[in-house]
Amino acid sequence: MATGHYDLKKAKNGQFHFNLKAGNGEIILSSEMYASKASAENGISSVQINAPDEDQYEIKPSKDGQHYFVLKAKNQQVIGVSEMYTATSAAHKGMQSVVKNGPSTDIRDLTGH
C-alpha cells in the first residue's frame, strides 16, 4: 500500500510551504507560508510528531457550511489545515488519513535548492 509524503515547495513570493499527500497523491494537509526553508522543514517535523495524536486536531465549520480540520502543535499553534469537506464525517475521514500518513519521513524537496 502506498504511503503518504510531503511536497516542500517555494512559492512565487519566495516563501516556503508544504503539502502532506496521501498515498494516492491527494493533498490532505497544507501548511502556512514560512519565510525560510528551514522553518518549513521544522513545520514538517512538527506535523510528523503531532499527526498521530487525535487530540491535536480540531474540526471546524467554514462560513459556507462546509467543514475542515486543523492540526495543532502542543503549544496550540496551527501547523496544518485540511481541504474543505461537505460533511463532518468526511472531515473526520480526512483527519484519519493525516493521522496515518503524517509520520511519513518521505519529504520531496521541490524548491529547486
Side-chain angles (χ1 to χ4, degrees), residues 18 34 36-49 79:
F18 62 85
Y34 295 92
S36 71
K37 184 176 175 180
S39 295
E41 290 169 336
N42 286 340
I44 290 172
S45 295
S46 188
V47 172
Q48 291 168 326
I49 292 164
I79 51 178

Side-chain angles (χ1 to χ4, degrees), residues 3-102:
T3 57
H5 69 273
Y6 292 89
D7 282 347
L8 178 59
K9 299 180 176 184
K10 186 173 186 177
K12 289 184 174 115
N13 66 4
Q15 293 191 311
F16 296 85
H17 64 104
F18 62 85
N19 292 316
L20 173 59
K21 292 186 172 182
N24 64 4
E26 183 178 336
I27 295 172
I28 53 176
L29 194 74
S30 297
S31 75
E32 64 182 0
M33 289 291 176
Y34 295 92
S36 71
K37 184 176 175 180
S39 295
E41 290 169 336
N42 286 340
I44 290 172
S45 295
S46 188
V47 172
Q48 291 168 326
I49 292 164
N50 290 287
D53 185 353
E54 288 192 32
D55 291 338
Q56 297 307 113
Y57 294 85
E58 185 179 347
I59 295 178
K60 299 180 167 199
S62 68
K63 291 183 177 120
D64 64 1
Q66 296 191 78
H67 298 83
Y68 68 101
F69 61 85
V70 296
L71 172 60
K72 296 179 179 181
K74 299 286 188 241
N75 65 3
Q76 298 303 304
Q77 182 175 354
V78 173
I79 51 178
V81 180
S82 74
E83 65 181 358
M84 290 295 167
Y85 296 93
T86 54
T88 305
S89 59
H92 190 73
K93 274 179 129 173
M95 186 185 91
Q96 291 302 318
S97 184
V98 175
V99 167
K100 185 179 96 180
N101 291 289

